Amino acid sequence: MVDLSSSFETECEIIDRDHRRLVEMVNAIVAAIDGDHATECATRVPKFVKFAKQHFVREEAFLADIGYPETQKHHDHHRALDGKMATILGLAAKAADNQLAREALKKDLVFFLMDDVINADLDFKPFIKVRKT
Amino acid sequence: MKGLHIHGVSHAYGNNKVLNNVSLTIPTGELVCLLGPSGCGKSTLLRLAAGLETLQCGTIVIDDQTVATKESSLAPEHRHIGLMFQDYALFPHLDIVANVCFGLIGMARDKARARALEMLDQVGMADYAKVYPHTLSGGQQQRIALARALAPEPKLLLLDEPFSGLDTNMRQMIREDTLNVLKQNGVATLMVTHDPEEAMFMADRIKILGRHGRVRQSGSPHDIYYKPNDEFVAGLFGLMNRLGGVVRDGAVETPLGRVGAGGIADGTAVQVLIRPEGIVLSGGNTGSNPGIPVSVSSTHLLGHSSIVSVSPDGNSGDEYFARVHREFSPELEDTIFASIEASDTFVFPLKEDTASAAPIGMAAE
Ligand SMILES: Nc1ncnc2c1ncn2[C@@H]1O[C@H](COP(=O)(O)OP(=O)(O)OP(=O)(O)O)[C@@H](O)[C@H]1O
Ligand SMILES: [Fe+2]
Ligand SMILES: [Fe+2]
Ligand SMILES: [Mg+2]
C-alpha cells in the first residue's frame, strides 16, 4: 500500500486531489491482485491509465495558467511516460492468468505512480509556494 | 509512504558539481540500483542518504520522516540505516557473532545474540559464529556484513558496490543469496553499482546517472535494456555497433539492411546502434530471406557465446560485431548471411555533441 504522505504533497489542492485519486486507484489494483481478483485488472488498469492521462492534461493546463516557466519540460516528461503506460496496459491484459505479469504490474504501477508521476511533480512545488505567498 | 523518498538533490564539492537534481522513490521491500560511470556521484548520493555528507539542496525522507533538508539534518545513527560497502569492515578482534551484535546497541545481551544468530542463519553462516573474520573468504565476509547491516532491522539499506571485490562465480552466488535475504526482510534498498548486469539482476528499478550526476533514465531492467532513452543508456550494456544514416520513408538503410526509424521524421540524421546479439548470422539455408551476405574476418570464443567480426561482401572496410550463442564454425560454411534483430537495434537522432564518431564499443555521452 502506498499513500500520499506529506513529503509527496505539492500543497496545491487541485493537484494533490488528483494524486490522491491515482494513489487510491493503484492501491485498489494491488489489493485486487493480492486478494485473488486479478481479473479486475483488465478494467481497473485502463481506467487508471485514462485518469493519469487526463490528470497530465489538467496539470499542464494549470502550470501554463500560473506561468510556470518549465511547463514545456514537464509536458515532455509526461509524454515520455507513454511507453511505460503502454507496458502497464500490456501487463494488465495478461494479469488474470500470469503470475509474472501480476508481479511486474504491481511493481511497475507503484514506481510509475510514486517516482515518475508524483515525485516528479515536486519540481514545481517551490514555484507554487512562492506564488501563494 | 514507507521507504526512501529523495527529491531534488544536487551536490557540489567546491566547483565540482557531482549531482544534478536527483529524485528517487523506493517503497519498502523494493530495491533500486543506481547505475552510472565512475565519478557520476553514486557514492555521494548514498553518503547523503546515510547522513555522512551534508545535504546542500533537496530533501531526504525515510519512512515519512524528513531526515535531511538544506536547513536540518538528523544524525546518521538516528536514521535507522544499514550500510554495506565493498570493503567489509568487520572488526578483526571480534568473532563473527560479536561483529553482528555490534549494531544492536541497547538490546539486552541475550536478545542481541539470538537476533545475531538468526541473521547468521539467514545468510547461511550460522556455523561460523565463533570464528574470526580473517579466517573467512571475501564472499563469506560479505555475508557477515549483510547480516550485520540487517540485524537492527533498518528502515533503509544502502549498498555501495558490495560485490565488486569478489570473483565472478562467488559474485553471482552471493548476489542471489543477498537478494533472497533482502526480499525476506522487506527492507527498502538503494544499491550502487557500475556493473549493468548486476543492476539488471538485482534491481526492481534502475536509475541511470550520467555525467555530472543527472538522471538519464529510470525504469525496470526491461525498460532500460529494451527501451533506452538515448545512446548513452543503450551503450551502457557493452559493445555496440554504431552506424550512421538518414531516415527515409520511416526507415534507415544500413549496410546490414533496413531498420525502422521508430517515428523519427524523414530527413533526420540518425545514429543506429545494434547490439552484437542483434546481428543474426546464418548459413543461408534457413528461410527465404536470410539477409545480407557477409564474410567473417575473425571469431573470438568468450565461453557462453562468440563474438564474430563480419563485413558485408564487397565492402570489407565496414566491420561489425555479431554475437553467436552456439557453436559456430564459419570455416565450414559456404556463405554466411547477416540480418538485424529489431529488439536489439536502436535509432536515435544524431545530436551535435555526439556527431564526432565514437569508437565502436565506447559509450559517447
Ligand atoms: N569528499 C570529497 N571531496 C571532494 N570531491 C569528492 C569527494 N568525494 C567525491 N568527490 C568527487 O565527486 C565526484 C563523484 O564522486 P563519487 O564518489 O560520488 O562517484 P561515484 O559515482 O561513486 O564513482 P565510482 O563509480 O568511481 O565509485 C568525483 O569526481 C569525486 O572525485
Ligand atoms: Fe501530477
Ligand atoms: Fe506531473
Ligand atoms: Mg563510488
Side-chain angles (χ1 to χ4, degrees):
Chain A
M1 285 297 240
V2 288
D3 58 70
L4 203 66
S5 42
S6 63
S7 70
F8 286 101
E9 281 173 1
T10 64
E11 291 170 23
C12 170
E13 186 47 30
I14 58 163
I15 301 291
D16 288 339
R17 200 184 307 144
D18 269 5
H19 288 177
R20 273 194 291 274
R21 178 82 191 107
L22 289 166
V23 167
E24 279 165 19
M25 293 173 102
V26 164
N27 282 335
I29 295 164
V30 172
I33 294 174
D34 290 343
D36 271 342
H37 306 292
T39 46
E40 292 177 17
C41 291
T43 50
R44 284 187 183 272
V45 173
K47 275 187 195 157
F48 165 78
V49 168
K50 188 173 168 201
F51 189 86
K53 287 184 175 170
Q54 290 167 343
H55 164 67
F56 293 161
V57 174
R58 280 196 287 275
E59 188 175 274
E60 287 160 25
F62 166 77
L63 293 175
D65 271 355
I66 64 170
Y68 177 58
E70 309 224 54
T71 301
Q72 182 61 43
K73 195 173 149 202
H74 199 76
H75 167 86
D76 294 344
H77 168 69
H78 287 160
R79 287 308 311 273
L81 299 177
D82 283 350
K84 282 184 181 162
M85 289 189 280
T87 301
I88 285 170
L89 289 172
L91 290 171
K94 294 258 182 295
D97 38 39
N98 184 329
Q99 172 66 20
L100 289 175
R102 290 195 283 276
E103 292 305 317
L105 177 61
K106 282 201 284 185
K107 260 192 223 315
D108 280 9
L109 270 175
V110 171
F111 276 113
F112 170 78
L113 176 67
M114 299 310 285
D115 204 38
D116 297 323
V117 175
I118 297 181
N119 203 356
D121 285 354
L122 298 175
D123 287 352
F124 56 73
K125 177 173 171 173
F127 183 80
I128 297 177
K129 218 168 181 165
V130 168
R131 241 183 121 261
K132 267 190 194 163
T133 53
Chain B
M1 187 206 72
K2 289 260 186 290
L4 175 67
H5 177 201
I6 290 180
H7 178 258
V9 168
S10 298
H11 198 83
Y13 296 105
N15 289 329
N16 183 13
K17 292 196 177 115
V18 297
L19 288 172
N20 188 337
N21 195 26
V22 174
S23 297
L24 66 85
T25 318
I26 313 179
T28 290
E30 306 289 332
L31 188 151
V32 172
C33 267
L34 283 177
L35 177 65
S38 189
C40 70
K42 303 181 296 295
S43 296
T44 299
L45 190 66
L46 239 61
R47 293 169 54 77
L48 287 165
L52 303 171
E53 196 79 58
T54 306
L55 189 66
Q56 298 168 350
C57 176
T59 332
I60 300 175
V61 181
I62 299 171
D63 277 10
D64 294 338
Q65 180 185 21
T66 301
V67 297
T69 62
K70 206 166 66 177
E71 291 84 23
S72 68
S73 174
L74 191 67
E77 64 271 24
H78 294 133
R79 293 190 184 188
H80 303 289
I81 286 175
L83 295 168
M84 190 170 152
F85 298 121
Q86 179 188 338
D87 39 11
Y88 343 98
L90 299 177
F91 296 110
H93 56 284
L94 297 179
D95 68 12
I96 294 310
V97 76
N99 260 285
V100 178
C101 281
F102 191 80
L104 301 171
I105 307 157
M107 200 186 269
R109 242 183 113 186
D110 289 358
K111 264 182 109 178
R113 203 181 151 77
R115 171 70 183 153
L117 288 172
E118 182 194 342
M119 280 319 302
L120 284 174
D121 189 45
Q122 272 198 39
V123 300
M125 292 294 291
D127 293 342
Y128 295 81
K130 288 248 168 61
V131 310
Y132 284 82
H134 71 271
T135 64
L136 300 178
S137 72
Q140 290 173 324
Q141 292 194 38
Q142 263 329 35
R143 286 170 200 271
I144 306 300
L146 179 64
R148 185 172 69 180
L150 288 173
E153 300 185 70
K155 296 170 177 172
L156 171 66
L157 188 64
L158 301 173
L159 308 177
D160 197 347
E161 311 222 16
F163 314 126
S164 57
L166 307 174
D167 67 55
T168 317
N169 285 334
M170 172 64 78
R171 242 176 124 139
Q172 184 51 35
M173 213 158 66
I174 197 167
R175 269 179 202 161
E176 265 182 73
D177 294 348
T178 301
L179 206 51
N180 286 334
V181 173
L182 292 179
K183 292 292 161 188
Q184 211 172 321
N185 284 269
V187 60
T189 306
L190 179 58
M191 173 168 145
V192 162
T193 176
H194 54 228
D195 176 349
E197 261 186 46
E198 185 159 287
M200 300 276 287
F201 183 84
M202 302 281 292
D204 298 303
R205 184 167 251 229
I206 298 174
K207 285 254 167 187
I208 309 282
L209 285 187
R211 234 184 288 150
H212 307 302
R214 211 186 334 238
V215 176
R216 303 293 291 246
Q217 187 169 355
S218 46
S220 64
H222 189 276
D223 277 346
I224 299 285
Y225 193 81
Y226 288 107
K227 296 176 194 162
N229 276 351
D230 53 31
E231 65 272 22
F232 174 79
V233 176
L236 284 174
F237 294 91
L239 196 68
M240 271 286 185
N241 294 286
R242 292 168 188 271
L243 299 75
V246 175
V247 181
R248 300 214 192 291
D249 301 326
V252 193
E253 223 35 89
T254 79
L256 295 175
R258 250 171 103 79
V259 173
I264 298 174
D266 281 3
T268 310
V270 292
Q271 180 162 203
V272 179
L273 276 68
I274 312 174
R275 293 209 168 95
E277 40 277 47
I279 298 181
V280 179
L281 302 182
S282 65
N285 43 10
T286 53
S288 56
N289 185 13
I292 310 278
V294 294
S295 43
V296 171
S297 52
S298 70
T299 76
H300 295 276
L301 182 62
L302 301 180
H304 321 283
S305 63
S306 298
I307 289 288
V308 181
S309 315
V310 298
S311 305
D313 280 355
N315 196 354
S316 58
D318 288 348
E319 197 176 39
Y320 305 101
F321 296 105
R323 190 187 300 278
V324 180
H325 287 276
R326 54 188 161 72
E327 196 184 352
F328 181 67
S329 311
E331 58 277 21
L332 300 180
E333 303 284 353
D334 292 331
T335 320
I336 293 168
F337 294 88
S339 58
I340 301 175
E341 189 82 65
S343 60
D344 282 306
T345 303
F346 310 99
V347 183
F348 301 112
L350 198 61
K351 281 190 235 125
E352 292 291 308
D353 58 330
T354 54
S356 58
I360 285 175
M362 300 290 286
E365 193 182 350

